[in-house]
Amino acid sequence: MSQPVRTRPEGCADPLYQVYDTALLDLDGVVYAGGEAVEHAVPSLSAARDRGMRLAYVTNNASRTPQAVADHLARLGVPAAPEDVVTSAQAVARLVAERLPAGARGLVVGGEGLR
């Protein structure tokens, strides 16, 4: 027997912005698909943010800077600033910084987002 397709979270009587302080949001396929915002994403994210939920947009695309990601989201109508974006390049940079002494030299091979 097939399961019904879920189109919204179930099992929580309260709005998610009341239950959680922060939402970690994947981008491609969750917030947008191709060049368009996913249906209901823009008003839902705007409403959550307006009610005090912090929105963190998480991407595994290391080639784009947080500014480029925030600009793309803003063009789609999604409320986003560069400080709301977490890229895989930022995550790696933080890990490297924690493991190497201050002033250590490293070779960065990649696009602007990695630099």
Side-chain angles (χ1 to χ4, degrees):
M1 177 176 254
S2 67
Q3 295 288 330
V5 175
R6 290 180 57 169
T7 58
R8 60 190 167 97
E10 300 283 350
C12 185
D14 298 317
L16 295 178
Y17 67 84
Q18 288 180 349
V19 179
Y20 300 101
D21 298 318
T22 302
L24 301 177
L25 302 153
D26 187 23
L27 294 177
D28 196 15
V30 176
V31 176
Y32 58 74
E36 301 294 324
V38 169
E39 186 177 3
H40 306 294
V42 174
S44 297
L45 294 172
S46 295
R49 186 178 199 158
D50 291 347
R51 289 171 175 85
M53 180 180 251
R54 182 167 190 275
L55 305 178
Y57 302 100
V58 182
T59 179
N60 62 358
N61 184 340
S63 67
R64 296 193 301 164
T65 65
Q67 182 68 58
V69 173
D71 290 346
H72 178 217
L73 292 169
R75 282 192 300 277
L76 297 175
V78 176
E83 57 270 14
D84 299 326
V85 177
V86 180
T87 69
S88 57
Q90 289 175 306
V92 168
R94 179 169 286 161
L95 286 172
V96 170
E98 290 171 356
R99 288 175 171 74
L100 296 177
R105 294 172 43 176
L107 174 63
V108 177
V109 179
E112 183 181 356
L114 187 56
R115 278 180 261 141

